[in-house]
Amino acid sequence: MDGDDASHIGRSRDDPEAFAEIFRRHAPGLKRYVTRRLGAGAAEDVVAETFLAAFRQRHRYDLDRPDARPWLFGIATNLMGRHVRTEVRQLRALRRTGADPVTEPFADRSDERVTAQAGGPRIAAALAAMPKGQRDALLLFAWGGLSYVQVAEALGVRLGTVRSRINRARRRLRADLGELDESPRHTIVHQEPVHD
């Protein structure tokens, strides 16, 4: 369907079925992101809760914002706050096994930005030890594919706060990981914002 997200959300206020387009457009990417953070079991619940909350809040959505991704990822990140222990367990399991919960059917551009192959267990351990605010900002950028501006919107913080959190997270990763060869850490630690 044509039109930006805001037009579909606006139409859904009178025609609730129009909101299905928002789900169609954004559920796969949101599920990949949440799966990486919490594992497949919790991801299904969080994604469902995210779209239910978004549907209920659609009348408050700012229609001047054509892209609903930051809004949806922000809702999901808030909901994941209830699952912090699950996320840390997921990262520790990745550290032990090296098995990334995002499997081949979900492979796309976000996997190019960060992957859990060589060095993945060490990255997972470093992420598990990171303060939640830094981890949220970094993973919304690296795994969620959001720009710094979108991360700020998703988290409801200023752009400078996002820059600071991601900078601190990258420094922490560099310190925790030392000199890994140009492996997955490289894309988390060195990649600059795509569109600020």
Side-chain angles (χ1 to χ4, degrees):
M1 281 186 116
D2 293 333
D4 61 22
D5 293 341
S7 65
H8 292 288
I9 293 170
R11 277 200 310 280
S12 77
R13 292 173 177 176
D14 294 322
D15 176 15
E17 291 182 19
F19 198 81
E21 179 63 15
I22 300 303
F23 181 85
R24 186 194 66 74
R25 288 179 177 188
H26 299 293
L30 191 63
K31 184 175 180 189
R32 282 189 295 274
Y33 172 70
V34 177
T35 299
R36 289 200 96 159
R37 294 201 57 183
L38 300 179
E44 293 286 337
D45 292 339
V46 169
V47 171
E49 290 173 33
T50 297
F51 281 98
L52 180 60
F55 181 77
R56 289 178 177 160
Q57 297 171 22
R58 72 190 188 282
H59 292 288
R60 295 193 316 245
Y61 184 79
D62 180 357
L63 296 177
D64 290 333
R65 296 182 179 208
D67 184 2
R69 277 178 11 125
W71 178 57
L72 294 168
F73 277 72
I75 292 169
T77 299
N78 287 336
L79 291 170
M80 283 188 289
R82 299 182 203 159
H83 299 274
V84 172
R85 287 188 187 119
T86 303
E87 178 180 30
V88 171
R89 273 195 310 271
Q90 181 74 15
L91 289 167
R92 287 180 180 150
L94 174 57
R95 178 187 66 206
R96 283 189 313 276
T97 66
D100 191 334
V102 177
T103 57
E104 195 65 32
F106 295 124
D108 78 349
R109 194 170 77 99
S110 64
D111 280 343
E112 293 169 14
R113 293 177 92 169
V114 64
T115 181
Q117 290 173 349
R122 290 178 57 200
I123 293 171
L127 289 171
M130 193 175 287
K132 184 182 180 323
Q134 291 176 19
R135 184 171 59 237
D136 285 345
L138 181 66
L139 296 181
L140 279 166
F141 172 71
W143 288 351
L146 300 183
S147 70
Y148 278 27
V149 170
Q150 291 173 320
V151 171
E153 185 180 332
L155 296 177
V157 298
R158 295 185 313 181
L159 180 59
T161 301
V162 169
R163 290 182 193 280
S164 175
R165 286 179 182 177
I166 291 176
N167 186 39
R168 285 187 186 119
R170 286 177 170 160
R171 275 198 316 254
R172 186 179 190 119
L173 282 175
R174 282 186 199 106
D176 289 352
L177 301 177
E179 288 305 314
L180 270 170
D181 59 346
E182 295 301 306
S183 66
R185 176 189 71 90
H186 179 77
T187 57
I188 292 176
V189 176
H190 298 293
Q191 185 158 345
E192 295 302 317
V194 178
H195 8 55
D196 260 348

